[in-house]
Amino acid sequence: MKRSEVDRDKLSPMMRQYLDIKDNYEDTIIFFRLGDFYEMFFEDAVTASRELELTLTGRNAGLEERVPMCGIPFKAYEGYLDKLIDKGYKVAIVEQLEDPKTTKDMVKRDVIQVVTKGTRLDSSINAKDNNFIASIYDLEYCYVLSYSDVSTGEVYVLLEDGDKDALLREVLRHNFSEIIVNNKIDREFVNTLRTTYHLNVTIYDELYNGSDYSYVYKNLKDVREETGIKHLLAYLTNTKKGDLSHLTEAKVENTKEHLLIDNNTKRNLELTETVRLRERTYSLLWLLDKNKTAMGSRLLKQNIESPLTNKKEIERRYDFVDKLRVEFILRDDLKNNLNEVYDLERLASRITYGNLNARDLLQLKNSLKVLPDIKRILKELNYYKEIEDFPEVYSLLDKSIVEDPPITLREGHLIKDGYNDELDELRKVSSGSKDFILELEQKEKERTGIKNLKVGFNKVFGYYIEVSKGQVKELKDEYEYERKQTLSNCERFITPLLKEKENIILGAEEKIINLEYDLFMKIRETIKRYIHPLQKTANIIAEVDMLQAFSTISDMYNFVRPTITDNHSVKIIASRHPVIEEVMAKEDKKYVSNDIIMDEDTSILLITGPNMAGKSTYMRQFAIIVIMAQIGCFVPAKSCSMPIFDKIFTRIGASDDLVSGESTFMVEMKEANLALENATKNSLILFDELGRGTATYDGMSLAQAILEYIHDKIGAKTMFSTHYHELTSLSNSLKHLQNVHVSAVEEDGVLTFLHKIKLGAVDKSYGLNVASLAHLPSSLIKRAEEILNVYESEGVKEREFTQTSLFTLDEEEAKVEEKESEIEEMVKECDPLNMTPINALNFLYELKEKIRNEEK
Ligand code: ADP
Ligand code: MG
C-alpha cells in the first residue's frame, strides 16, 4: 500500500498526524515515537525492514488494509539509526512533545532533529577525523563552496571562479560526508557526484534568514560568501533544530595560501591512507601523528591535505619545533599535560547541542585543570599565542560535579554535596529516613519477637517488612501490620510508620533527581557563555600539540630543519622516504638515502633505471619532503634547502582510476593535462613513466613533447621517470634537463639494486634480470636471452631522437633508411616489451624465413 494512494479522511487521527509530518520530509525516513518504540510506516517501513532486517508488520489505521509498519525499541535505536545513516539515508526523529499521562487528546508530536551523514553528532564519528558537510551554491557565474564540521563548530568558505572541473577537484579534495546544492546547479554535475564518486548529495534551496547565527557570516567582506554560508546555515538549522551556537565565525579559505594538492596526488603519495587497503596505517599521516589530542590529529590531517605557502608562518613553526627540541624537558612536561586534555572542540559542541552528560563536564574539568600549566609552559617557550585558562569555569565544575557520575541525567548522583543548600537538605531528609528504616528492623524484631524479620525495598511495592510463612501467626493486630504481597514462603507487610517514612524518602528522592537535573542545566548554561573563547583555546592547543608531535618525531627519526630559499634551487642531501624507511626498519633493512639536487637552471630531472630500482620511490620522496617542509615539520635528510612550492601534480604508478572506471591511458593523459594547464614555475610535477599506457612510439612521442612543453613553457621543477632510453639524448637539446639514473649491478646474471641515484643516463634496462627475479620459468628467460642476443647481434642500434627527428626525418636520413634491409626494418618496428613469448618466437621464425628467402 502506498502512502500517496491513501484516503486520508478515513485514517485514524494518529496516522493523519504521521502523514502531515511526513509530507514535509519526503526524502527522509521518519522514526515516529509511539510509547517505547520508534515506528516506521508505508514505504519507510518497507525500506527500513529491508535495510535493517526487521520484520514488516501492519497497523490498523482505519483503512481496509493494514498499513505496513516496522519498529525499533526506543531504548536501543542508535545502532539501527547508525546503520541507516551509513547507508546514506536521512532519518527524522519524531518525538512526543507532551507527556501522554497528562494529556487527554492525542499527544502532540513533531520532528526534533533530522540526522544526516554530514551532521551527525553521535559517538559513531571518528575522533581523529573531521566530518564535513558542504554547500555548493551556484551563482551562475561562480560557485561558493562552504563547509562545516558540526561536531567541532568549524566553518569555512571559498569562492570557485573556475569551471566545473575545478569545482569538482576542489570538492574531491575534501572528503565531504554530505553535500547540499542549490537548484540552479547543473544536474549532470550532481549525477557525476552521486554515481561516479558516490557522494551524498541533496538539492536544497533555502537561505537562512534568522539572526541567531548571523555572527557566523557577519564579518565576511564578500556577499557571495555570505550567501553560501546562509545556504549551509539554513540546512543545518533545519536539520539539527537544536542550539548551534558553537558554530564559529566563517573562515575564508584562500587557495593561494595553501600548497595545492589535488585528490589524485593525495592518493598517489599515500598522504592520509594507503592506496591498496585505504588504511591510515603506513600513510604519511600515520607516521607523523604523534599527537596527544584528537584535536591535534585532526589539525595535522587538515595540514597534510593543505600545507602552507607563507614563508613567515612556516618558519615560525620551525622555530617552535626547534625550541621544543632544545627544551626537551619542557616538551615532556607539555606532552604530559596535553595527555590530560580531552577533545575540547567536540565537548564544546555537546555543551551547546543536545546530548551532554555529566561525564562530559568531568572531562571538561580535567582538561581545564591542566590549562594553567600549559599556559605557563607556552610562556616559557615564548610561543607567539597565549591560551586562556578559565579558572572560574574550573572552580564551578570542581565544586559541582561528582567524580563518578552516571551516563544519564535522570538518576541523580550528579551534583556534589555542599554545592546547593536545598539539595543538601533533601539529601539529609532522605538519608535520615533511610537510617531510620535500618534501625526499624531491629526495633520490629524486638517488638514482635520474630528473629528472621527483615525490612526490604523493591521498585514496585516500595518498602516492606518480610516475615516467613511460619512466623506470620506471631503477628498481633496491635502491631498494625497490613499485608501487601504474598510469596511462596513469606509474606510482606507495611506499617503506618514505614509508609510515612517511605513517602518522605520517595518524595525527597524525586525532588533530588529533579533538582540535580535543574542544577546541571544551569551549570551548562553558565558554561555555554564560554564556548567561543574555549574554542579559541582549543585551536591553539591543537596547533601546539601538532608542533610538539613534529618536534618529537624529528628527534625520533633524525629529521633536519629545512632552509627556505627565495630562488629556485633545490638541494637536499641524503634524503629518505620517511614511511618506507620506517617500514624497512621494522624488518631490519636499511633505506638508501639519496640527494635531490636541482639548481636554479635545472627544471627537469629525467630518471632512468631498471624496474624495481627505486625511481618511483625517489620521486614520491621528493614530494613528501616538500609537504612535510610546508606544514612546518622537519624533513628526513642531512640537509635541505629549497623554495616554497605552490602546487604539486603527479602521475605516478599504474593505478587505474578505479572510481570513475577510465582506462589507464585516459587517466594518464588527463592527469598530465591538469598539470600542464595549471602548473607554474613554482610548482612541482612528478611524471612516472608517462606514456606507458599506449603503444611504444605514441608513448615516446608524447613523453618527449610533454618534456619539451614543460621545459620551454612552464619551467616547473619536474621529475620524469621513463623506460624510453631514447629520451635521455634530449639533454643535448633541452638545457634545463638533466639525466640521472638509478644504478644496479649485475654479477653472473644476478642483479642487485643499489637504489642509488647517479648523474647521467643508464646504459641497460635489465628487463630480463627483473623478470627472473619475478621467478618466470628459467627456460623462458633463457629463450628471451637468445632472442635478445639475436637483436643485439643483428646490430639493432638505438635510434637517437632529437627534438625534431622524432616526427620528420631529413633527407639524408631518409636515404639511409631506404638502404636498410627489410629485416632490419622489421626488427626496428617490433616492440619486444609488448610481445608475448609466443609472438617473439613466431617473429624469430619469420625473420629466419626471410633471411633464407633473401639468400636464395
Ligand atoms: P621503480 O619505480 O624504479 O620500479 P620503486 O620505486 O617502485 O622502483 O622501488 C622498488 C622497490 O625498491 C620498492 O619496493 C622499495 O622498497 C625499494 N626501494 C626503493 N628505493 C629504495 C631506497 N632508496 N632504499 C631502499 N629500498 C628502496
Ligand atoms: Mg616505478
Side-chain angles (χ1 to χ4, degrees), residues 54 114 184 232 264 288 294 319 404 412 436 574 598 622 641 670 683 706 752 771 781 801 807 810 845:
L54 298 170
V114 183
K184 290 235 169 68
L232 188 61
N264 286 317
L288 298 185
D319 287 343
D404 51 351
F436 176 87
M598 296 169 93
F622 187 20
S641 91
K670 277 193 167 172
S683 305
I706 285 172
T752 313
I781 302 279
F801 290 93
F807 305 106
D810 62 36
Y845 276 124

Side-chain angles (χ1 to χ4, degrees), residues 580 584 590-592 594 610-618 688 755:
I580 299 185
M584 286 177 71
K590 194 142 177 51
Y591 189 82
V592 179
N594 273 305
N611 278 320
M612 290 297 288
K615 300 183 295 299
S616 304
T617 310
Y618 182 61
D688 194 5
H755 304 303

Side-chain angles (χ1 to χ4, degrees), residues 405-558:
I407 294 176
T408 63
L409 299 178
R410 292 292 188 179
E411 300 172 21
H413 306 295
L414 306 171
I415 306 293
K416 274 185 178 168
D417 285 338
Y419 176 69
N420 178 281
D421 291 344
E422 191 187 345
L423 182 63
D424 288 351
E425 199 52 44
L426 284 167
R427 280 181 176 158
K428 219 185 272 163
V429 170
S430 159
S431 71
S433 305
K434 279 183 183 157
D435 288 346
F436 176 87
I437 286 171
L438 284 179
E439 286 159 21
L440 185 77
E441 187 174 291
Q442 198 50 39
K443 279 192 193 135
E444 288 299 301
K445 277 183 188 167
E446 282 163 19
R447 184 159 79 114
T448 59
I450 302 173
K451 289 230 170 56
N452 58 2
L453 170 150
K454 268 195 306 217
V455 175
F457 177 82
N458 77 28
K459 277 212 169 119
V460 183
F461 293 100
Y463 285 97
Y464 54 79
I465 299 171
E466 190 177 287
V467 179
S468 65
K469 278 257 164 77
Q471 305 286 317
V472 169
K473 56 183 183 302
E474 309 285 325
L475 295 174
K476 296 181 186 145
D477 281 351
E478 62 191 75
Y479 299 159
E480 292 186 287
Y481 273 41
E482 188 186 318
R483 181 168 293 116
K484 232 175 154 181
Q485 194 186 6
T486 303
L487 301 173
S488 59
N489 55 354
C490 64
E491 305 230 358
R492 288 174 175 175
F493 302 89
I494 184 112
T495 68
L497 189 59
L498 186 58
K499 187 87 209 158
E500 186 191 323
K501 290 293 173 189
E502 180 187 89
N503 282 338
I504 294 173
I505 293 172
L506 296 184
E509 263 169 15
E510 195 184 330
K511 276 187 198 150
I512 287 172
I513 287 174
N514 288 337
L515 181 58
E516 288 204 52
Y517 182 80
D518 290 346
L519 288 170
F520 184 87
M521 287 304 159
K522 278 209 187 94
I523 294 167
R524 171 191 191 153
E525 281 309 313
T526 310
I527 296 173
K528 254 191 197 178
R529 281 186 249 130
Y530 294 88
I531 288 301
H532 289 290
L534 202 60
Q535 285 171 325
K536 275 209 184 91
T537 286
N539 292 343
I540 299 172
I541 288 190
E543 190 174 272
V544 166
D545 191 16
M546 180 176 79
L547 296 178
Q548 105 18 61
F550 290 168
S551 160
T552 304
I553 196 156
S554 298
D555 273 353
M556 281 169 74
Y557 297 114
N558 268 319

